Amino acid sequence: MLLTIPDLLSAEQVRHCRSQLDAADWIDGRATAGFQGSRVKHNRQLLEGSPAALALGDLIVAALERHPLFISAVLPLHVYPPLFNRYDGGQQFGEHIDNALRLMPGSRHKIRTDVSATLFLSEPDEYDGGELLIEDTYGMQSVKLPAGHLVVYPAASLHRVSAVTRGARLASFFWVQSMIRDDAQRTLLFDLDSAIQRLHQDHADARALLQLTGSYHNLLRMWSEL
């Protein structure tokens, strides 16, 4: 499932992120790439674990925890601390698939990357190119969102970032281990949850809503991995 989550960050929060990122030191983005990605990754990245990266990452994770659409769609179990990248001067990231496992910083705990996420921090008119191109069931999808908007998609997807030929593209990216490993099952649960919420708003039959809600939780109980 490829899903856009609008306004994860407010305009004020985006301005705060930008002020911190504009003053930050950037390193070669290949520092966090695996063997496959390091051959096709050409960008710059905020040093992982730097004070700015940690503070901005905490801000983003707090926003995720408050966002009902993200919770419903992703059913997060573990969120990898957000990272930050910058593309300019023709930089790009060629076709790749994200690593299946990530070691959580400062621990021996690994997470499985079920869902990839990109939070846009530059407005689309600030740069040319820089589209996130994701191959899914319906072909290649091009994603270029307003600042503060998030896109989530299966981490197993083949994807790339096209060359930025004018301006600079700033973004945060991270991965999530979901309680539900299988993307088709997550999609089914999300569709069911969305339908239940709409029926609540329409004051549908209480008994039918109870049955649907029970089915949702029974499927979640059957499929979840904790």
Side-chain angles (χ1 to χ4, degrees), residues 84-98:
F84 299 85
N85 58 23
R86 177 187 178 100
Y87 293 81
D88 58 20
Q91 291 177 328
Q92 61 182 311
F93 198 162
E95 287 189 333
H96 65 285
I97 294 174
D98 291 335

Side-chain angles (χ1 to χ4, degrees), residues 8-140:
L8 178 73
L9 298 186
S10 67
E12 181 178 352
Q13 288 173 318
V14 170
R15 286 193 294 270
H16 172 70
C17 290
R18 289 293 299 272
S19 69
Q20 297 297 305
L21 295 176
D22 288 343
D25 294 324
W26 298 85
I27 63 171
D28 190 325
R30 288 174 292 183
T32 57
F35 173 75
Q36 174 202 198
S38 64
R39 296 180 296 172
V40 294
K41 186 176 185 180
H42 304 286
N43 64 7
R44 287 181 288 168
Q45 192 165 302
L46 201 60
L47 181 64
E48 187 174 8
S50 67
L54 292 175
L56 296 180
D58 287 345
L59 183 152
I60 292 168
V61 171
L64 294 172
E65 292 173 345
R66 295 191 301 267
H67 205 293
L69 182 57
F70 174 79
I71 300 298
S72 176
V74 177
L75 293 169
L77 179 60
H78 301 294
V79 177
Y80 191 90
L83 302 173
F84 299 85
N85 58 23
R86 177 187 178 100
Y87 293 81
D88 58 20
Q91 291 177 328
Q92 61 182 311
F93 198 162
E95 287 189 333
H96 65 285
I97 294 174
D98 291 335
N99 292 347
L101 300 173
R102 286 271 173 178
L103 181 66
M104 292 291 278
S107 77
R108 297 181 179 179
H109 176 64
K110 291 181 179 179
I111 70 166
R112 185 184 65 243
T113 57
D114 298 318
V115 178
S116 295
T118 296
L119 173 64
F120 288 78
L121 295 172
S122 297
E123 296 294 351
D125 61 2
E126 293 185 68
Y127 60 99
D128 292 336
E131 294 85 2
L132 175 61
L133 300 168
I134 306 165
E135 189 171 315
D136 72 359
T137 306
Y138 304 102
M140 190 68 73

Side-chain angles (χ1 to χ4, degrees), residues 120-178:
F120 288 78
L121 295 172
S122 297
E123 296 294 351
D125 61 2
E126 293 185 68
Y127 60 99
D128 292 336
E131 294 85 2
L132 175 61
L133 300 168
I134 306 165
E135 189 171 315
D136 72 359
T137 306
Y138 304 102
M140 190 68 73
Q141 307 298 315
S142 178
V143 183
K144 187 173 182 178
L145 301 177
H149 287 37
L150 178 76
V151 61
V152 296
Y153 56 97
S157 303
L158 185 69
H159 59 284
R160 64 186 176 91
V161 176
S162 65
V164 173
T165 57
R166 178 188 65 85
R169 175 194 190 269
L170 297 172
S172 175
F173 62 103
F174 54 93
W175 302 272
V176 182
Q177 180 173 332
S178 175

